[in-house]
Amino acid sequence: MTIDVSQSVSSTAKVQAVGNKTTSASQTDGQAFRQLLASQNSKNSTTSSTSQLSKQENIMIRWGDTVSELAEKYKTSVAGIVNANQLQDPNFILAGHNLLIPGSSGQATTATAKATTASMSSASSASAVSVKYTNNETSTNKTATDNESSDEAQARAYIVSRESGGNYNARNGKYIGKYQLDSSYLNGDYSPANQELVANKYVAKRYGSWVNAMQHWKSNNWY
């Protein structure tokens, strides 16, 4: 049998050429897929960012509002509101002012938590003490106000805003804290929880309600 060497070489070359084309086409398809995937991820990232921005809301603070209650109402966090508005003291917000509510987030990022902590640390010593009791006073405030009518809550807020601006560490001679209570009433316990407890007992015993206490304050500038 005679084998044509030129034909054998030609056939081998053709096979190699076909193989190279197949490999080249496979590589091209792979590159195209990766480019498409990268483009899709970029679009998703942009959409997610735009969605988060669109969730921000600017509201007006009303009598009786607290940062913790607003955070719960708008499905966000106290740290998020503090950071978005650069609040020095999350316990001191004024009715009639605007407050930026950030979009809801499932988990607070480490960066946001660190930024908030740094902001708290740079506040005044009085604010730093208030921050220390944030969790306790939030629980205390909810216990004290959950059963209050809107009139009672507004009356309480009216007195607090004029007595101390909501500062548990405010001092004026013998008058102490958020409600400016006589130090003798507090028996040396100036914690937010005790201030709330004593204030409620004082108002209930002397005036019967916060609404009555507010009316007395309006007439006499004290309660």
Side-chain angles (χ1 to χ4, degrees), residues 109-178:
T109 64
T110 301
T112 300
K114 288 182 178 179
T116 302
T117 302
S119 175
M120 296 296 187
S121 298
S122 64
S124 65
S125 58
S127 295
V129 175
S130 294
V131 172
K132 180 179 178 181
Y133 292 109
T134 296
N135 291 334
N136 289 337
E137 68 192 54
T138 298
S139 176
T140 302
N141 284 341
K142 288 188 70 60
T143 301
T145 60
D146 277 346
N147 297 322
E148 279 186 345
S149 67
S150 59
D151 289 341
E152 283 289 279
Q154 289 178 9
R156 177 196 293 267
Y158 178 93
I159 291 175
V160 167
S161 67
R162 285 155 178 78
E163 290 290 335
S164 68
N167 186 354
Y168 283 106
N169 303 291
R171 299 289 184 94
N172 182 18
K174 67 177 182 177
Y175 299 105
I176 306 293
K178 180 178 177 179

Side-chain angles (χ1 to χ4, degrees), residues 25 30 47 49 73 78 80 88 91-92 99 103 116 154 163 172 180 189-190 193 202 220:
T47 301
S49 177
K73 178 179 179 181
V78 172
Q88 293 297 314
N91 305 307
F92 183 34
L99 196 69
T116 302
Q154 289 178 9
E163 290 290 335
N172 182 18
Q180 290 294 281
D189 182 359
Y190 301 154
Y202 171 78
N220 302 280

Side-chain angles (χ1 to χ4, degrees), residues 8-84:
S8 177
V9 172
S10 176
S11 298
T12 301
K14 287 181 181 179
V15 170
Q16 290 177 341
V18 171
N20 289 341
K21 288 182 180 180
T22 302
T23 301
S24 176
S26 176
Q27 291 175 342
T28 301
D29 289 344
Q31 291 175 348
F33 176 75
R34 286 193 294 271
Q35 291 176 351
L36 178 61
L37 183 61
S39 175
Q40 186 64 36
N41 287 339
S42 176
K43 289 180 180 179
N44 290 342
S45 177
T46 302
T47 301
S48 176
S49 177
T50 302
S51 176
Q52 287 296 327
L53 289 175
S54 66
K55 290 180 180 179
Q56 291 187 344
E57 186 172 352
N58 203 342
I59 67 166
M60 178 174 289
I61 301 169
R62 298 184 299 178
W63 288 113
D65 282 345
T66 66
V67 173
S68 59
E69 289 173 346
L70 290 173
E72 182 178 352
K73 178 179 179 181
Y74 290 96
K75 308 301 181 185
T76 184
S77 65
V78 172
I81 295 176
V82 169
N83 194 48

Side-chain angles (χ1 to χ4, degrees), residues 203-222:
V203 167
K205 182 177 181 179
R206 180 160 187 164
Y207 300 103
S209 70
W210 283 97
V211 171
N212 292 339
M214 179 182 70
Q215 295 303 325
H216 186 276
W217 202 104
K218 287 181 176 181
S219 300
N220 302 280
N221 289 329
W222 63 275

